[in-house]
Amino acid sequence: MEKRQRMRDAEWFRKEGERWKCLLCPKGCSFKADSSALGLCRVRGLKNGKPYLPGYGECVSLSIDPIEKKPLYHFLPGSYIFSTGPAGCNLTCDFCQNWSISQGSNVPTRYVSPHEMAEMAMNGKSIGIAFTYTEPTIWFEYIADCSPLVREKGGAVVMVSNGEINLEPLRELIEFTDAWNVDLKSWSDEFYKRHCGGDRETVLHTIKTLANSSCHLEITFLVIPEENDDPEEWKEMAKWISGECGTDTVLHISRYFPRYKLEQEPTPFDTLVKARDIFSEKLHNVYIGNVSMENSNTVCPDCGAVCIERSGWSVNTEGMNKGRCASCGSELNIVHEIK
Ligand code: SF4
C-alpha cells in the first residue's frame, strides 16, 4: 500500500508541445518534456519525462497544536489539531518565519501514508488535521488523499496558506477542506514581487473565493516595519476585506520578528495597536497576534460580555454557548462544531 501511494499520479500537469507545465500555481513551472527537474516549490516536478511528486507524504513536522496557533480564533476555539506540512514553498519570502523548512534544501522529512495520517489526525484530543508550517496547496494530491479519510472519522481539515494557487485547483481544494487561514502580506504589488516573488492579485482572488465558499476563512497580516506599515495602505486593505469578504471576517495582525534575509527590528507594539485600530474601523474581529502581553479575547459585539477569554494558548470558552454569546444570545460568527 505504502509503495502504491508514494507512486501516485501527479495532477495539474499539462503537456504543451515539447514541454510539461504545472498548472497548480501562478508560477507555472515549465519542464523540458524528456527531462528530470524539480519545480520552484521542490515538492513537484518531472522525472524521466513524467510528472511526479517527490514531496508526496514527506512531512517536515508532526505535532498537535492549539487551533489558535494556526491562527484560527473563530473555528472550534479551544480545540487541538494535528499539524503537518511539506518541505517546500512556492514563494520565496525574504522574511519567512519558517524559512529553514520552507526554503532549505535537504530538509529532513518522514513519509506518512494518508491512512497513517488520518489515524494520527484523529488520535487523542485532535479534532482533525491542519496542513500548515510551509505551503500546503503545493501538496494538492496528498491533501486530496488524506482529507476523505480524516472526514470519514469525523475530523476537520484546515489549511494555512499563502493563497498563491490557481482558481481551478483552489475550487477543488475547497470541496475537501473546512477552514483556511490565508496570509495577506501587503496591499502593494511591488511588495509581493520584491519580498516574496509572488502575485498579490492571485492572493486576493483566493481570499475572495474562500469568503464566498462553504469554508471558514480567517486572514493574517504580518506587519513589517518600513515595509508594509503605511496606514493609508491599511485603510485600503480594510476597505477591500470588508467589502469583498464581509465585516465579520476575522483578521490577525501579527508581529514580525527578524528571520531569514530581513533584519528589521521586531514590529513595535504601538504599530500593532495602531493597525488594529485602523482595521477595526471596517472589521468587527481584529486580533493582535505573536505578542505575549496583548489580550485577544472575543467580546460580544452587542452586550460587550467576554465570550472567549485567551491568555497565551489557554482558552476559556465558558462565555459562549453554541457559537452565541452566553449572556445575550447574539451570534458570534464562530464555528463551534464540525458539520
Ligand atoms: S506548484 Fe510548484 S511546480 Fe507547480 S507551478 Fe507552482 S512552484 Fe511550480
Side-chain angles (χ1 to χ4, degrees):
M1 167 65 81
E2 187 165 299
K3 199 166 177 200
R4 188 180 68 76
Q5 288 283 17
R6 279 201 204 220
M7 288 168 64
R8 185 208 203 277
D9 286 343
E11 297 179 37
W12 306 107
F13 279 87
R14 185 171 65 204
K15 190 99 180 276
E16 294 183 343
E18 293 305 303
R19 302 191 74 84
W20 279 99
K21 186 175 182 188
C22 176
L23 307 174
L24 188 57
C25 92
K27 293 286 169 204
C29 295
S30 172
F31 309 89
K32 209 165 150 243
D34 55 359
S35 68
S36 294
L38 283 178
L40 179 129
C41 62
R42 300 186 308 287
V43 167
R44 316 168 63 76
L46 211 67
K47 190 175 185 184
N48 302 326
K50 268 190 76 182
Y52 93 128
L53 304 168
Y56 182 90
E58 297 291 339
C59 304
V60 279
S61 178
L62 297 156
S63 56
I64 287 200
D65 291 334
I67 195 113
E68 282 74 17
K69 209 171 174 179
K70 300 301 103 194
L72 286 175
Y73 279 14
H74 284 216
F75 187 80
L76 305 170
S79 65
Y80 285 78
I81 191 157
F82 194 79
S83 303
T84 188
C89 187
N90 54 351
L91 291 187
T92 51
C93 303
D94 54 15
F95 51 87
C96 182
Q97 307 282 294
N98 272 345
W99 67 274
S100 62
I101 49 176
S102 71
Q103 306 296 326
S105 48
N106 300 320
V107 178
T109 57
R110 174 182 156 194
Y111 178 73
V112 179
S113 74
H115 280 95
E116 272 181 290
M117 185 55 78
E119 287 295 325
M120 289 174 170
M122 298 312 293
N123 196 12
K125 59 188 173 182
S126 168
I127 53 100
I129 180 97
F131 295 104
T132 175
Y133 300 134
T134 50
E135 177 48 41
T137 55
I138 56 176
W139 241 8
F140 181 95
E141 295 82 353
Y142 186 59
I143 295 168
D145 291 346
C146 290
S147 169
L149 302 173
V150 172
R151 283 180 155 181
E152 252 171 40
K153 294 174 185 290
V157 180
V158 163
M159 299 284 284
V160 182
S161 171
N162 61 29
E164 291 278 348
I165 178 171
N166 288 333
L167 205 51
E168 254 190 276
L170 172 67
R171 287 201 177 116
E172 283 201 22
L173 271 178
I174 284 172
E175 294 301 314
F176 39 78
T177 52
D178 300 288
W180 290 60
N181 185 304
V182 179
D183 287 335
L184 182 50
K185 296 171 192 284
S186 168
W187 195 242
S188 146
D189 291 325
E190 198 265 335
F191 176 101
Y192 261 93
K193 283 196 180 70
R194 184 159 53 95
H195 287 294
C196 311
D199 169 46
R200 184 183 65 114
E201 278 303 319
T202 303
V203 178
L204 296 184
H205 272 119
T206 297
I207 290 175
K208 201 169 144 178
T209 305
L210 285 164
N212 290 295
S213 77
S214 55
C215 290
H216 174 75
L217 168 71
E218 302 191 13
I219 299 171
T220 295
F221 173 40
L222 182 80
V223 182
I224 308 175
E226 294 167 37
E227 299 295 345
N228 60 7
D229 61 353
D230 177 352
E232 291 308 312
E233 284 189 0
W234 295 345
K235 285 178 192 165
E236 288 298 312
M237 201 193 285
K239 198 168 135 195
W240 184 87
I241 296 172
S242 64
E244 298 291 346
C245 309
T247 52
D248 283 335
T249 308
V250 178
L251 177 71
H252 301 268
I253 309 273
S254 188
R255 188 180 196 205
Y256 148 93
F257 289 91
R259 297 268 192 283
Y260 198 31
K261 296 176 183 168
L262 219 58
E263 291 173 347
Q264 268 94 324
E265 288 296 300
T267 323
F269 188 63
D270 289 353
T271 305
L272 300 169
V273 172
K274 189 172 173 188
R276 182 186 57 193
D277 292 347
I278 287 177
F279 280 99
S280 296
E281 285 171 18
K282 297 280 183 197
L283 300 167
H284 300 147
N285 299 297
V286 182
Y287 299 96
I288 292 179
N290 231 2
V291 291
S292 50
M293 67 282 217
E294 175 66 11
N295 108 33
S296 53
N297 295 340
T298 298
V299 175
C300 174
D302 289 329
C303 73
V306 174
C307 301
I308 303 176
E309 211 177 338
R310 299 184 184 85
S311 171
W313 299 127
S314 136
V315 179
N316 179 351
T317 59
E318 281 171 13
M320 180 182 79
N321 183 14
K322 295 185 178 166
R324 293 178 174 274
C325 171
S327 300
C328 73
S330 283
E331 180 60 56
L332 296 170
N333 181 38
I334 287 178
V335 178
H336 63 94
E337 61 182 358
I338 302 173
K339 291 194 182 118

